[in-house]
Amino acid sequence: VVTCGLILDGVAFTTTAGRSKITNLKRNPRCSLLVCQENWWGYVVLEGRASILSHQNTGALDLRQTLRDVYRVASGGEHPDWEEYDQAMVEQQRSVVVVVPEHVYGTRI
């Protein structure tokens, strides 16, 4: 379960290093993402390819900005303390995963 939002021509979320999500996506970027309403009735499934933006392949400033952008679109607002947020993202070794849909199906959300 992840909180996600629209960004970079896809749907993005963040995750920490060492998670199965990252390991599996590095091995095979093809994936599906279920996006549902809070009541679990309406849903959309996105099938596509994931891109991983991490400290290994993205400059520090670009990664910081993208992590902030994902926060904004996923939460619908601004973080109360961006410096604290940035520090937590570094300490947690957060990466951004962007799934660009190739096929979409489900019910109305």
Side-chain angles (χ1 to χ4, degrees):
V1 174
V2 295
T3 302
C4 58
L6 300 173
I7 190 171
L8 300 172
D9 298 325
V11 177
F13 62 91
T14 69
T15 190
T16 55
R19 297 287 179 148
S20 295
K21 293 174 190 74
I22 294 291
T23 301
N24 291 335
L25 291 171
K26 284 180 178 178
R27 187 178 61 241
N28 181 358
R30 297 213 37 83
C31 65
S32 59
L33 183 65
L34 171 70
V35 180
C36 63
Q37 292 180 327
E38 288 182 30
N39 64 12
W40 294 88
W41 285 98
Y43 70 93
V44 172
V45 176
L46 311 169
E47 294 178 350
R49 291 193 169 275
S51 297
I52 302 168
L53 288 79
S54 71
H55 69 278
Q56 296 170 335
N57 63 5
T58 307
L61 294 177
D62 288 339
L63 183 58
R64 181 182 74 186
Q65 187 59 52
T66 305
L67 286 162
R68 286 181 175 196
D69 290 345
V70 172
Y71 179 93
R72 286 182 182 107
V73 298
S75 72
E78 297 292 323
H79 192 277
D81 186 339
W82 284 116
E83 288 182 28
E84 177 184 77
Y85 176 83
D86 295 340
Q87 184 61 38
M89 297 300 99
V90 170
E91 290 172 1
Q92 295 172 14
Q93 298 180 34
R94 287 265 168 184
S95 296
V96 175
V97 176
V98 181
V99 179
V100 177
E102 296 169 353
H103 184 66
V104 179
Y105 56 91
T107 65
R108 280 196 154 160
I109 290 189

